[in-house]
Amino acid sequence: MAFLIPPRRAIRDAFPYQPGKSIASVQRELGLKSVVKLASNENPLGSAPRALAAYRRAEKLNALYPEGASPELRAALARHHGVAAESVIVGNGSDEIIRLLCEAFLEPDDEVVVSQHAFIRFKQQASMMGARVIETPMTDWTHDLALMAKATSPRTKLLFVANPNNPTGTFNTQDEIEGLLDAAPKTALVVLDEAYWHYARRIAGYPKSLPELAARHENLVVLRTFSKAYGLAGLRVGYGVGDPELIGWLDRIRMPFNVSLPAQQACVEALKDEAFVKRSVALNQAQREFVVRALGDLGFGVGESATNFVFVRAPLPGRELFKALLRQGVIVRPLDEYGLPQHVRISIGTAAQNKALLSGLKQILAVPA
Ligand SMILES: Cc1ncc(COP(=O)(O)O)c(C=O)c1O
């Protein structure tokens, strides 16, 4: 029997997100015991301990529905960032906020401006709403915000900027972001996705978005996540900070109970776990320097990174390198879906994980250990 009900036109053309391969699937498929995953920019130290303790305490409340608007976490985030609670929305990952923004603002044929090689969820989600996605070229593997501003029109509803960007690892400066905010039409919302903020915040020129830029521009929304420096990717919590009216629209259309109660309570405590974040960022910095040097010694082209991963040009097609590394028990991320068949993205792991990566690469390139 044939299925006779077509989905919306925009959905027919949708291309799904391809997540990093899981450890369990590689163990199953290749019969390997020990597998190292450096494919999804997770925290190799695990989760913030204070968050885990709160998560366990919350277990007892699992028979009850959570409060849908995550009020305690919202208030904690507002205090943390020096903004009003009405300016904050908590989502099932920052990914949910990307989705809500597209659902709230995009009519078919509205325009969305993104950079080439920007985090792919922006154009995926915008296309699913039937919007027209305009992609501008990068300059030096970085979002070219002057070109993005030029690409806007009265039909532009959203501009997405991942800062730093995944997968290129590059960032835009405060001056560049302010230039975009000045040049873009006030009828277009600028979405500044700062998933990797903790790793970039101390770099000279990196923008001070919260609370400063957000307070001055009502057409700016800033996204952050608990998935990276707090080590809570599996809990699925991210948030957006912006104009209370904008936040009100997103709040109206989110799922009624979009964030579980243990997740809400864990994230309130995660915000207090500065020691864990500091340790995570320091490990990342030291190990990234080691990995960049070692990859360079092996002849790979490695970009400057403001994140917890590196963007690597391989001497063989990225997918081939990905497959060869899988056989060595190391998962990295090929970037064909980003139109980058010659590159891979490699998350920074612990010292032991990074050593496993390098010894796998040496095997593949037949370099003596
Ligand atoms: C730039 C960027 N934005 C958003 C996300 C989604 O994060 P979350 O886990 O909060 O949905 C990611 C995840 O890798 C990312 O790289």
Side-chain angles (χ1 to χ4, degrees):
M1 239 185 346
F3 184 71
L4 296 174
I5 313 154
R8 289 194 298 115
R9 192 165 299 112
I11 299 297
R12 278 177 249 165
D13 300 331
F15 46 106
Y17 184 70
Q18 295 169 20
K21 223 168 156 49
S22 71
I23 291 176
S25 73
V26 176
Q27 285 173 327
R28 251 191 336 264
E29 289 162 22
L30 297 177
L32 295 172
K33 260 209 187 107
S34 146
V35 175
V36 168
K37 184 179 178 209
L38 300 173
S40 300
N41 308 335
E42 293 144 338
N43 192 325
L45 290 180
S47 304
R50 287 188 72 145
L52 283 188
Y55 183 80
R56 286 189 208 105
R57 286 195 298 276
E59 220 173 54
K60 301 177 203 72
L61 302 170
N62 271 340
L64 307 175
Y65 284 100
E67 283 192 85
S70 306
E72 281 179 39
L73 179 54
R74 220 172 165 182
L77 286 165
R79 277 195 303 278
H80 190 74
H81 290 301
V83 298
E86 294 71 35
S87 298
V88 181
I89 180 160
V90 182
N92 196 264
S94 49
D95 217 10
E96 185 190 9
I97 315 286
I98 296 169
R99 179 172 197 146
L100 292 176
L101 286 164
C102 291
E103 288 182 354
F105 289 100
L106 297 178
E107 305 274 12
D109 299 324
D110 278 346
E111 290 175 2
V112 174
V113 178
V114 296
S115 170
Q116 175 192 31
H117 311 314
F119 183 49
I120 206 156
R121 290 285 301 123
F122 305 150
K123 73 172 176 189
Q124 279 178 343
Q125 201 61 59
S127 305
M128 284 185 216
M129 296 307 300
R132 237 161 59 77
V133 178
I134 297 168
E135 255 187 307
T136 57
M138 282 196 154
T139 299
D140 297 331
W141 297 111
T142 308
H143 285 61
D144 187 325
L145 300 190
L147 284 184
M148 285 181 71
K150 265 205 204 123
T152 58
S153 80
R155 291 233 62 163
T156 306
K157 279 287 190 59
L158 299 174
L159 294 97
F160 282 101
V161 178
N163 199 36
N165 184 45
N166 169 13
T168 55
T170 50
F171 75 97
N172 292 99
T173 63
Q174 171 105 7
D175 286 350
E176 288 170 339
I177 298 286
E178 293 206 66
L180 177 68
L181 287 163
D182 287 341
K186 297 294 167 267
T187 47
L189 184 66
V190 176
V191 183
L192 197 54
D193 178 347
E194 296 186 330
Y196 301 94
W197 179 84
H198 289 94
Y199 306 101
R201 57 184 288 223
R202 299 220 182 273
I203 304 174
Y206 184 74
K208 292 192 183 340
S209 58
L210 292 179
E212 289 87 344
L213 282 176
R216 279 191 275 128
H217 299 274
E218 59 270 7
N219 63 330
L220 173 69
V221 60
V222 178
L223 311 188
R224 300 260 178 99
T225 181
F226 285 92
S227 297
K228 310 295 174 186
Y230 296 107
L232 296 169
L235 277 195
R236 311 302 307 123
V237 189
Y239 58 99
V241 180
D243 185 86
E245 190 165 334
L246 157 75
I247 297 299
W249 289 116
L250 303 185
D251 209 29
R252 196 183 279 205
I253 60 165
R254 68 169 167 74
M255 295 280 278
F257 308 105
N258 59 336
V259 180
S260 75
L261 189 67
Q264 292 180 27
Q265 299 204 348
C267 288
V268 169
E269 284 303 304
L271 285 175
K272 300 175 194 162
D273 210 334
E274 283 170 26
F276 178 77
V277 170
K278 210 166 153 191
R279 210 149 43 84
S280 303
V281 172
L283 172 82
N284 181 66
Q285 171 97 21
Q287 285 300 310
R288 194 178 64 209
E289 282 169 21
F290 165 73
V291 169
V292 167
R293 209 172 323 112
L295 288 174
D297 290 346
L298 288 175
F300 290 84
V302 189
E304 282 270 314
S305 171
T307 63
N308 63 347
F309 59 85
V310 282
F311 176 59
V312 180
R313 190 179 164 86
L316 59 164
R319 185 152 289 276
E320 295 302 313
L321 182 66
F322 159 73
K323 285 195 215 148
L325 273 171
L326 276 189
R327 289 191 289 272
Q328 304 286 331
V330 180
I331 316 174
V332 298
R333 188 68 160 263
L335 295 172
D336 316 65
E337 63 172 339
Y338 281 89
L340 296 163
Q342 210 54 48
H343 287 76
V344 291
R345 193 192 69 200
I346 306 178
S347 308
I348 301 299
T350 58
Q353 291 175 328
N354 298 331
K355 281 201 186 115
L357 163 77
L358 290 163
S359 82
L361 286 173
K362 283 178 188 163
Q363 290 268 346
I364 292 163
L365 301 174
V367 175

mmCIF file of all heavy atoms in Angstrom, residues 93-95 98 119 162 164 166 193 195-196 225 227-228 236-238, ligand 1:
data_model
loop_
_atom_site.group_PDB
_atom_site.id
_atom_site.type_symbol
_atom_site.label_atom_id
_atom_site.label_comp_id
_atom_site.label_asym_id
_atom_site.label_seq_id
_atom_site.Cartn_x
_atom_site.Cartn_y
_atom_site.Cartn_z
ATOM 1 N N GLY A 93 18.485 22.479 24.377
ATOM 2 C CA GLY A 93 19.678 22.788 23.588
ATOM 3 C C GLY A 93 19.484 24.137 22.915
ATOM 4 O O GLY A 93 18.338 24.594 22.747
ATOM 5 N N SER A 94 20.594 24.787 22.563
ATOM 6 C CA SER A 94 20.428 26.041 21.817
ATOM 7 C C SER A 94 19.827 25.739 20.449
ATOM 8 O O SER A 94 19.249 26.597 19.787
ATOM 9 C CB SER A 94 21.753 26.806 21.700
ATOM 10 O OG SER A 94 22.776 25.963 21.273
ATOM 11 N N ASP A 95 19.961 24.482 20.048
ATOM 12 C CA ASP A 95 19.326 24.029 18.813
ATOM 13 C C ASP A 95 17.822 24.316 18.797
ATOM 14 O O ASP A 95 17.255 24.677 17.761
ATOM 15 C CB ASP A 95 19.544 22.516 18.748
ATOM 16 C CG ASP A 95 19.799 22.057 17.336
ATOM 17 O OD1 ASP A 95 19.989 22.902 16.465
ATOM 18 O OD2 ASP A 95 19.790 20.835 17.132
ATOM 19 N N ILE A 98 17.255 27.932 17.940
ATOM 20 C CA ILE A 98 17.405 28.173 16.487
ATOM 21 C C ILE A 98 16.091 27.815 15.789
ATOM 22 O O ILE A 98 15.590 28.556 14.947
ATOM 23 C CB ILE A 98 18.587 27.342 15.928
ATOM 24 C CG1 ILE A 98 19.913 27.803 16.546
ATOM 25 C CG2 ILE A 98 18.630 27.409 14.398
ATOM 26 C CD1 ILE A 98 21.097 26.881 16.274
ATOM 27 N N PHE A 119 27.687 27.143 10.821
ATOM 28 C CA PHE A 119 27.012 26.020 11.484
ATOM 29 C C PHE A 119 25.751 25.665 10.686
ATOM 30 O O PHE A 119 24.907 26.521 10.421
ATOM 31 C CB PHE A 119 26.660 26.426 12.913
ATOM 32 C CG PHE A 119 26.016 25.341 13.724
ATOM 33 C CD1 PHE A 119 26.555 24.066 13.776
ATOM 34 C CD2 PHE A 119 24.863 25.605 14.459
ATOM 35 C CE1 PHE A 119 25.962 23.059 14.529
ATOM 36 C CE2 PHE A 119 24.267 24.611 15.228
ATOM 37 C CZ PHE A 119 24.816 23.335 15.254
ATOM 38 N N ALA A 162 27.554 32.427 13.768
ATOM 39 C CA ALA A 162 28.108 31.568 14.828
ATOM 40 C C ALA A 162 29.467 32.154 15.191
ATOM 41 O O ALA A 162 30.336 32.291 14.338
ATOM 42 C CB ALA A 162 28.268 30.140 14.335
ATOM 43 N N PRO A 164 32.416 31.880 18.194
ATOM 44 C CA PRO A 164 33.151 31.370 17.031
ATOM 45 C C PRO A 164 32.275 30.409 16.206
ATOM 46 O O PRO A 164 31.275 29.900 16.684
ATOM 47 C CB PRO A 164 34.318 30.599 17.644
ATOM 48 C CG PRO A 164 34.373 30.980 19.078
ATOM 49 C CD PRO A 164 33.000 31.393 19.464
ATOM 50 N N ASN A 166 31.412 27.020 14.077
ATOM 51 C CA ASN A 166 31.617 25.590 13.906
ATOM 52 C C ASN A 166 31.258 25.289 12.452
ATOM 53 O O ASN A 166 30.138 25.624 12.063
ATOM 54 C CB ASN A 166 30.677 24.850 14.868
ATOM 55 C CG ASN A 166 30.585 23.378 14.613
ATOM 56 O OD1 ASN A 166 31.382 22.822 13.885
ATOM 57 N ND2 ASN A 166 29.598 22.736 15.238
ATOM 58 N N ASP A 193 25.253 33.273 17.743
ATOM 59 C CA ASP A 193 25.317 31.971 18.404
ATOM 60 C C ASP A 193 26.707 31.810 19.020
ATOM 61 O O ASP A 193 27.692 31.622 18.314
ATOM 62 C CB ASP A 193 25.028 30.886 17.355
ATOM 63 C CG ASP A 193 25.127 29.483 17.924
ATOM 64 O OD1 ASP A 193 25.636 29.302 19.039
ATOM 65 O OD2 ASP A 193 24.680 28.552 17.220
ATOM 66 N N ALA A 195 27.973 29.387 21.143
ATOM 67 C CA ALA A 195 28.084 28.071 21.791
ATOM 68 C C ALA A 195 29.478 27.852 22.404
ATOM 69 O O ALA A 195 29.609 27.164 23.413
ATOM 70 C CB ALA A 195 27.769 26.961 20.781
ATOM 71 N N TYR A 196 30.490 28.439 21.791
ATOM 72 C CA TYR A 196 31.878 28.204 22.258
ATOM 73 C C TYR A 196 32.434 29.393 23.026
ATOM 74 O O TYR A 196 33.648 29.576 23.116
ATOM 75 C CB TYR A 196 32.766 27.851 21.039
ATOM 76 C CG TYR A 196 32.244 26.623 20.345
ATOM 77 C CD1 TYR A 196 31.377 26.733 19.251
ATOM 78 C CD2 TYR A 196 32.537 25.357 20.821
ATOM 79 C CE1 TYR A 196 30.839 25.613 18.641
ATOM 80 C CE2 TYR A 196 32.006 24.225 20.229
ATOM 81 C CZ TYR A 196 31.158 24.365 19.137
ATOM 82 O OH TYR A 196 30.627 23.243 18.554
ATOM 83 N N THR A 225 25.015 27.822 25.354
ATOM 84 C CA THR A 225 24.641 26.429 25.625
ATOM 85 C C THR A 225 25.349 25.878 26.850
ATOM 86 O O THR A 225 26.433 26.351 27.215
ATOM 87 C CB THR A 225 24.973 25.542 24.399
ATOM 88 O OG1 THR A 225 24.582 24.197 24.671
ATOM 89 C CG2 THR A 225 26.467 25.548 24.066
ATOM 90 N N SER A 227 26.135 22.707 26.670
ATOM 91 C CA SER A 227 26.657 21.465 26.081
ATOM 92 C C SER A 227 28.169 21.390 26.024
ATOM 93 O O SER A 227 28.712 20.297 25.859
ATOM 94 C CB SER A 227 26.120 21.308 24.654
ATOM 95 O OG SER A 227 24.726 21.195 24.654
ATOM 96 N N LYS A 228 28.849 22.517 26.104
ATOM 97 C CA LYS A 228 30.295 22.508 25.841
ATOM 98 C C LYS A 228 31.095 22.628 27.146
ATOM 99 O O LYS A 228 31.435 21.627 27.740
ATOM 100 C CB LYS A 228 30.639 23.637 24.851
ATOM 101 C CG LYS A 228 29.754 23.659 23.604
ATOM 102 C CD LYS A 228 29.950 22.429 22.756
ATOM 103 C CE LYS A 228 28.958 22.375 21.599
ATOM 104 N NZ LYS A 228 29.036 21.129 20.837
ATOM 105 N N ARG A 236 20.785 18.399 27.151
ATOM 106 C CA ARG A 236 20.097 19.232 26.159
ATOM 107 C C ARG A 236 19.545 20.519 26.782
ATOM 108 O O ARG A 236 18.341 20.696 26.956
ATOM 109 C CB ARG A 236 18.935 18.464 25.461
ATOM 110 C CG ARG A 236 19.247 17.100 24.918
ATOM 111 C CD ARG A 236 20.382 17.124 23.887
ATOM 112 N NE ARG A 236 20.136 18.087 22.826
ATOM 113 C CZ ARG A 236 20.990 19.081 22.543
ATOM 114 N NH1 ARG A 236 22.130 19.245 23.198
ATOM 115 N NH2 ARG A 236 20.700 19.915 21.576
ATOM 116 N N VAL A 237 20.416 21.433 27.127
ATOM 117 C CA VAL A 237 19.959 22.741 27.607
ATOM 118 C C VAL A 237 20.790 23.850 26.953
ATOM 119 O O VAL A 237 22.022 23.828 27.004
ATOM 120 C CB VAL A 237 20.051 22.892 29.142
ATOM 121 C CG1 VAL A 237 19.359 24.191 29.579
ATOM 122 C CG2 VAL A 237 19.422 21.701 29.861
ATOM 123 N N GLY A 238 20.091 24.791 26.365
ATOM 124 C CA GLY A 238 20.717 25.995 25.824
ATOM 125 C C GLY A 238 19.771 27.147 26.085
ATOM 126 O O GLY A 238 18.657 26.936 26.591
HETATM 127 C C1 LIG B 1 27.726 26.804 16.740
HETATM 128 C C2 LIG B 1 26.801 25.870 17.451
HETATM 129 N N1 LIG B 1 25.591 26.295 17.814
HETATM 130 C C3 LIG B 1 24.722 25.507 18.440
HETATM 131 C C4 LIG B 1 25.040 24.198 18.744
HETATM 132 C C5 LIG B 1 24.004 23.337 19.387
HETATM 133 O O1 LIG B 1 24.252 23.182 20.701
HETATM 134 P P1 LIG B 1 23.173 22.568 21.712
HETATM 135 O O2 LIG B 1 23.790 21.308 22.215
HETATM 136 O O3 LIG B 1 23.007 23.611 22.752
HETATM 137 O O4 LIG B 1 21.916 22.331 20.952
HETATM 138 C C6 LIG B 1 26.297 23.691 18.387
HETATM 139 C C7 LIG B 1 26.635 22.304 18.686
HETATM 140 O O5 LIG B 1 27.646 21.766 18.359
HETATM 141 C C8 LIG B 1 27.197 24.545 17.715
HETATM 142 O O6 LIG B 1 28.390 24.107 17.317
#
